[in-house]
């Protein structure tokens, strides 16, 4: 399967993304999951490395949430902090599982769950947080 680094620069925005993966706290987290999780961490690092000298707003997009159901940060959070990410949007949580979503500003990063059903199929306006 080909691998593409996802980093987009648009004016004062740098947008990076990776899929992420299941949380290591999950009971069914296997050795294969760990391999995928670590690969996804590296993909995020590679994408963000391209933004090191960028002075604008950095947005990270993940499919899987960067926090556990208990609100504990995963390795993705440390990487985003290290590279100065301003906004993280993520999905994957639907229905009742969205009750465990971590949102709001934490350590300088604004987190938003953007699953369509969670947002009642209304777009989330991020403009007020963009510089």
């Amino acid at each position: 399967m080909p691998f593409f680094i996802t980093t987009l620069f648009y004016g004062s925005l740098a947008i990076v993304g990776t899929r992420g993966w299941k949380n290591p706290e999950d009971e069914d987290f296997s050795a294969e999951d760990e391999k995928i999780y670590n690969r996804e961490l590296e993909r995020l690092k590679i994408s963000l490395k391209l933004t090191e000298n960028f002075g604008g707003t950095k947005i990270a997009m993940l499919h899987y949430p960067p926090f556990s159901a208990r609100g504990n940060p995963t390795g993705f959070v440390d990487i985003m902090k290290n590279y100065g990410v301003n906004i993280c949007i993520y999905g994957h949580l639907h229905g009742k599982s969205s009750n465990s979503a971590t949102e709001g500003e934490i350590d300088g990063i604004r987190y938003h769950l953007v699953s369509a059903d969670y947002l009642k199929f209304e777009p989330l306006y991020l403009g007020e947080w963009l510089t």
Side-chain angles (χ1 to χ4, degrees), residues 21-26 37 64-78 80-81 90 100-103 106-107 111:
W21 197 242
K22 293 170 59 174
N23 190 296
E25 286 185 10
D26 294 346
Y37 175 83
Y64 286 86
F67 290 90
S68 72
R70 290 181 237 146
N72 297 325
T74 66
F76 295 96
V77 171
D78 288 335
M80 289 187 288
K81 280 192 225 176
Y90 65 93
S100 67
T102 298
E103 290 196 287
I106 301 168
D107 295 330
Y111 295 93

Side-chain angles (χ1 to χ4, degrees), residues 11-72:
S12 65
L13 298 177
I15 303 169
V16 304
T18 194
R19 173 179 56 175
W21 197 242
K22 293 170 59 174
N23 190 296
E25 286 185 10
D26 294 346
E27 286 181 24
D28 64 343
F29 193 80
S30 68
E32 182 62 24
D33 289 320
E34 184 173 7
K35 179 180 169 184
I36 297 167
Y37 175 83
N38 288 330
R39 181 180 66 211
E40 290 297 311
L41 290 173
E42 281 304 310
R43 287 179 176 177
L44 183 60
K45 281 182 201 173
I46 291 167
S47 293
L48 282 166
K49 190 158 182 61
L50 296 171
T51 71
E52 280 183 318
N53 297 316
F54 182 74
T57 300
K58 297 179 186 181
I59 300 174
M61 300 174 68
L62 304 172
H63 174 75
Y64 286 86
F67 290 90
S68 72
R70 290 181 237 146
N72 297 325

Side-chain angles (χ1 to χ4, degrees), residues 57-121:
T57 300
K58 297 179 186 181
I59 300 174
M61 300 174 68
L62 304 172
H63 174 75
Y64 286 86
F67 290 90
S68 72
R70 290 181 237 146
N72 297 325
T74 66
F76 295 96
V77 171
D78 288 335
I79 293 168
M80 289 187 288
K81 280 192 225 176
N82 289 340
Y83 285 94
V85 168
N86 305 97
I87 298 170
C88 174
I89 61 176
Y90 65 93
H92 187 70
L93 300 178
H94 302 280
K96 290 180 182 178
S97 67
S98 63
N99 293 338
S100 67
T102 298
E103 290 196 287
E105 187 169 332
I106 301 168
D107 295 330
I109 302 173
R110 293 201 55 86
Y111 295 93
H112 300 281
L113 172 60
V114 296
S115 298
D117 58 332
Y118 178 73
L119 294 176
K120 298 182 174 85
F121 299 91

